[in-house]
Amino acid sequence: GAGVSQTPSNKVTEKGKYVELRCDPISGHTALYWYRQSLGQGPEFLIYFQGTGAADDSGLPNDRFFAVRPEGSVSTLKIQRTERGDSAVYLCASSSKPPGSGGSSYNEQFFGPGTRLTVL
Amino acid sequence: KNEVEQSPQNLTAQEGEFITINCSYSVGISALHWLQQHPGGGIVSLFMLSSGKKKHGRLIATINIQEKHSSLHITASHPRDSAVYICAVRVGGAQKLVFGQGTRLTINP
């Protein structure tokens, strides 16, 4: 089946512009995660959705960053007034709940190929 | 100090060598992940473990919860194993992952 997909694969924009990055998770996965990876670093958590709601947005660096998942599947990460420091690879991942799990436990996360954002 | 530390940061070896990559963490976790990232490519999950040991092909992952330490081993290494290997932990009851800096592995033929 199809894995996690992200569009666009590359995005070049100018400082101050608005960008939207899209993530299509694996069908049926209720959890969706956004991470950001700067060159030579490990990924850093941004936000996590459980269904349609943001269950943890503690990683969003400031109020220029916002993410939505209105129907509980596709998610969009939105960045306003982009800055050069926003340049990074933005990764999306999704996961499912183990069968019969009643709590908040989730299976492993499946990652998309990422969107490379370059802010000039 | 990062919550997740990996060593070494870079590792170069010859084909066939036994490889060990280490991960130490300083927080209570519910699970630990080992991930593989090829240059220009996406991240692939290799293992998710919360205790003991898991094996898949030539890859073995172990975790010692008391010592807050995990290792990833590759037996009979091959040039196609060249990639960045990343350790990540799920902290407590949270779902987000906290990542190490990664270990860049190069296997020469």
Side-chain angles (χ1 to χ4, degrees), chain A residues 8-25:
Chain A
S9 54
N10 280 284
K11 176 70 177 178
V12 180
T13 191
E14 292 179 343
K15 181 175 177 294
K17 298 290 189 184
Y18 168 83
V19 296
E20 288 189 353
L21 312 179
R22 176 186 167 111
C23 172
D24 281 85

Side-chain angles (χ1 to χ4, degrees), chain A residues 3-115:
Chain A
V4 178
S5 63
Q6 292 186 246
T7 55
S9 54
N10 280 284
K11 176 70 177 178
V12 180
T13 191
E14 292 179 343
K15 181 175 177 294
K17 298 290 189 184
Y18 168 83
V19 296
E20 288 189 353
L21 312 179
R22 176 186 167 111
C23 172
D24 281 85
I26 292 173
S27 177
H29 280 193
T30 53
L32 184 147
Y33 312 79
W34 282 101
Y35 299 95
R36 178 169 72 172
Q37 186 174 26
S38 300
L39 191 63
Q41 304 293 317
E44 293 179 307
F45 170 77
L46 295 176
I47 186 170
Y48 148 61
F49 287 90
Q50 189 171 317
T52 60
D56 183 351
D57 64 358
S58 61
L60 295 178
N62 51 60
D63 61 5
R64 295 187 297 105
F65 288 75
F66 190 71
V68 295
R69 195 186 185 201
E71 297 178 0
S73 55
V74 171
S75 176
T76 304
L77 178 66
K78 308 180 181 193
I79 311 174
Q80 298 177 319
R81 304 183 304 280
T82 51
E83 299 177 357
R84 292 194 180 88
D86 298 335
S87 297
V89 175
Y90 288 81
L91 296 163
C92 175
S94 69
S95 65
S96 62
K97 278 199 173 185
S101 75
S104 59
S105 177
Y106 279 90
N107 285 325
E108 66 182 295
Q109 296 181 21
F110 292 84
F111 286 80
T115 293

Side-chain angles (χ1 to χ4, degrees), chain A residues 33 35 37 40-45 48 50 56 58-59 91 95 104-114 116, chain B residues 2 31 33 35 37 40-48 84 86 90 93-102 104:
Chain A
Y33 312 79
Y35 299 95
Q37 186 174 26
Q41 304 293 317
E44 293 179 307
F45 170 77
Y48 148 61
Q50 189 171 317
D56 183 351
S58 61
L91 296 163
S95 65
S104 59
S105 177
Y106 279 90
N107 285 325
E108 66 182 295
Q109 296 181 21
F110 292 84
F111 286 80
R116 182 176 298 278
Chain B
N2 292 335
H33 298 246
L35 310 162
Q37 186 173 33
I43 293 175
V44 174
S45 178
L46 299 175
F47 295 103
M48 182 178 74
V84 175
I86 304 172
R90 193 186 302 152
Q95 296 303 322
K96 68 182 183 184
L97 294 178
V98 177
F99 294 80
Q101 298 282 75
R104 182 174 299 277

Side-chain angles (χ1 to χ4, degrees), chain B residues 40-63:
Chain B
I43 293 175
V44 174
S45 178
L46 299 175
F47 295 103
M48 182 178 74
L49 63 165
S50 55
S51 65
K53 175 180 174 178
K54 286 191 176 181
K55 184 176 190 292
H56 184 252
R58 295 180 295 106
L59 302 177
I60 303 166
T62 64
I63 187 169

